[in-house]
Amino acid sequence: MIEKREDHKEPCCCFAPMEGITGYVYRSAHHALFPHVDRYFTPFLQPNQNHRFASRERNDVLPEHNKGITLIPQILTNRAEDFIWMAGELEALGYDEVNLNLGCPSGTVVTKYKGAGFLAKKEALDAFLDEVCAGIHIRLSVKTRLGMASPDEFEELLEIYNKYPLKELIIHPRVRSDFYKSTPDRAAFQKALKASRNEVWYNGDIFTPGDWEEFHAGFPEVDCIMLGRGLIANPGLAGEIKGFGFPDKGRIKEFHDMIYQGYRETISGNRNVLFKMKELWFYLLFLFPGSEKYGKKIRKAERAAEYEAAVASLFRDLDIQEGRGYGEER
Ligand SMILES: Cc1cc2nc3c(=O)[nH]c(=O)nc-3n(C[C@H](O)[C@H](O)[C@H](O)COP(=O)(O)O)c2cc1C
């Protein structure tokens, strides 16, 4: 890749947990070809009451599937006992930090008072954190939204977080009812940053190096950012932010091919493999201006050969364009 610009302040860049996308096949390919992410978070793991790992989840955290990667497993639950059990298993696998998901906005999760839904049960959340902090032997970090319906909820939530020695508090400054719409509430983030006793990391809508520059100008004291959709759309985003330049198309193709191969080896059924690849293309297409027609062919492909032909024509006919990010017109 291109030489690093020396005039850059380097943030620590984390890859956000993205359920359905950033599993170990994706993560290993990403780490091999775009080595500028400092930490990866697993998509959420859901401990069950039988205290047995689902095989998909165990595969995701096995050290042999995550060689050379700094990985932080994320857990989604509101039962301290289950969290503590899973943290113990993860400790035995060699992990030294687990992250609690307090942000997932999905209806099925929230109605069970998990993810962002747990933010509505402040007393129970406090008791949960108390029990977990006493019961685990590795560090705990939290990824949170500002509340369920209003950023005003955060003051009380922060009082709770401030009672515990978190490794870091990652704030995605939206409320549950925003899902991923509207813009992150930077004023509320500012308040939280001032009042938090724990180190605060930022997450939300950093899609281009320009977005990072703007964020950094407003919050020079924040050293660590978490990137989600922007990094899936442009897998070289962390490198770009750190001054390593824009990736070339050949590298994006190599990345695609590595993930495709990895899914073919680990997922049964072509349809399931194509489903995963199409999910990835939803994001990757943003890098290629004029790609809508090609995207349609990819989405319509039902067989591997059709899919491969559609992808080959996209890489042959289109170029990627520097400065583009998630959400731009395709
Ligand atoms: C498809 C998808 C899956 C996600 N899965 C998770 C998850 O497993 N755990 C989690 O904490 N957040 C999850 N998120 C939220 C992201 O980690 C991140 O907080 C969100 O996308 C905002 O960051 P961004 O603007 O950089 O994308 C998911 C988001 C999307 C769009």
Side-chain angles (χ1 to χ4, degrees), residues 16-19 21 42-44 74 101 143 172 174 180 203-207 226-230 283:
M18 303 282 281
E19 216 270 316
I21 303 174
T42 68
F44 62 74
Q74 185 191 62
N101 179 324
K143 178 168 180 272
H172 176 55
R174 286 186 165 99
Y180 297 104
N203 168 238
D205 288 30
I206 295 185
F207 300 146
M226 175 179 266
L227 306 165
R229 293 164 296 170
Y283 295 91

Side-chain angles (χ1 to χ4, degrees), residues 84-85 87-88 91 129-138:
I84 292 166
W85 164 75
E91 182 188 3
L129 289 172
D130 194 49
E131 199 177 335
V132 162
C133 285
I136 66 174
H137 312 291
I138 54 179

Side-chain angles (χ1 to χ4, degrees), residues 151-277:
D152 298 341
E153 293 165 44
F154 203 66
E155 199 176 328
E156 215 181 311
L157 288 166
L158 194 58
E159 269 174 34
I160 297 172
Y161 299 146
N162 275 344
K163 289 165 68 177
Y164 303 97
L166 304 178
K167 161 83 180 28
E168 68 267 349
L169 177 66
I170 305 160
I171 302 181
H172 176 55
R174 286 186 165 99
V175 291
R176 184 266 171 167
S177 50
D178 292 331
F179 285 82
Y180 297 104
K181 295 191 298 280
S182 75
T183 47
D185 187 339
R186 295 261 170 96
F189 179 76
Q190 173 76 276
K191 263 175 114 179
L193 188 60
K194 272 198 176 155
S196 176
R197 288 207 187 140
N198 292 298
E199 184 177 334
V200 170
W201 296 2
Y202 176 82
N203 168 238
D205 288 30
I206 295 185
F207 300 146
T208 63
D211 292 340
W212 150 251
E213 298 290 346
E214 191 208 336
F215 173 79
H216 179 53
F219 298 94
E221 66 275 53
V222 175
D223 292 328
C224 216
I225 51 172
M226 175 179 266
L227 306 165
R229 293 164 296 170
L231 198 42
I232 311 237
N234 171 10
L237 180 61
E240 262 195 278
I241 286 175
K242 292 182 178 188
F244 286 92
F246 189 62
D248 62 41
K249 187 169 78 169
R251 194 165 284 256
I252 303 288
K253 178 159 187 320
E254 204 183 331
F255 181 52
H256 166 276
D257 293 351
M258 209 184 257
I259 295 171
Y260 185 45
Q261 176 70 22
Y263 285 159
R264 284 168 66 99
E265 286 168 7
T266 55
I267 297 174
S268 66
N270 265 341
R271 285 178 75 89
N272 296 332
V273 172
L274 294 193
F275 178 82
K276 296 280 280 186
M277 294 309 295

Side-chain angles (χ1 to χ4, degrees), residues 94-107:
Y95 291 96
D96 60 8
E97 176 183 341
V98 270
N99 179 263
L100 171 66
N101 179 324
L102 292 176
C104 182
S106 135

Side-chain angles (χ1 to χ4, degrees), residues 271-327:
R271 285 178 75 89
N272 296 332
V273 172
L274 294 193
F275 178 82
K276 296 280 280 186
M277 294 309 295
K278 290 175 190 178
E279 219 173 344
L280 185 59
W281 276 110
F282 170 79
Y283 295 91
L284 272 183
L285 284 176
F286 289 113
L287 263 193
F288 296 83
S291 59
E292 195 44 54
K293 194 178 85 189
Y294 294 81
K296 216 171 183 177
K297 275 204 174 144
I298 291 174
R299 282 193 295 277
K300 281 175 74 178
E302 287 189 8
R303 293 165 199 280
E306 270 172 79
Y307 171 78
E308 287 161 21
V311 169
S313 65
L314 179 141
F315 277 114
R316 188 189 59 228
D317 298 348
L318 299 182
D319 282 320
I320 57 176
Q321 196 182 74
E322 186 163 0
R324 286 176 67 83
Y326 173 82

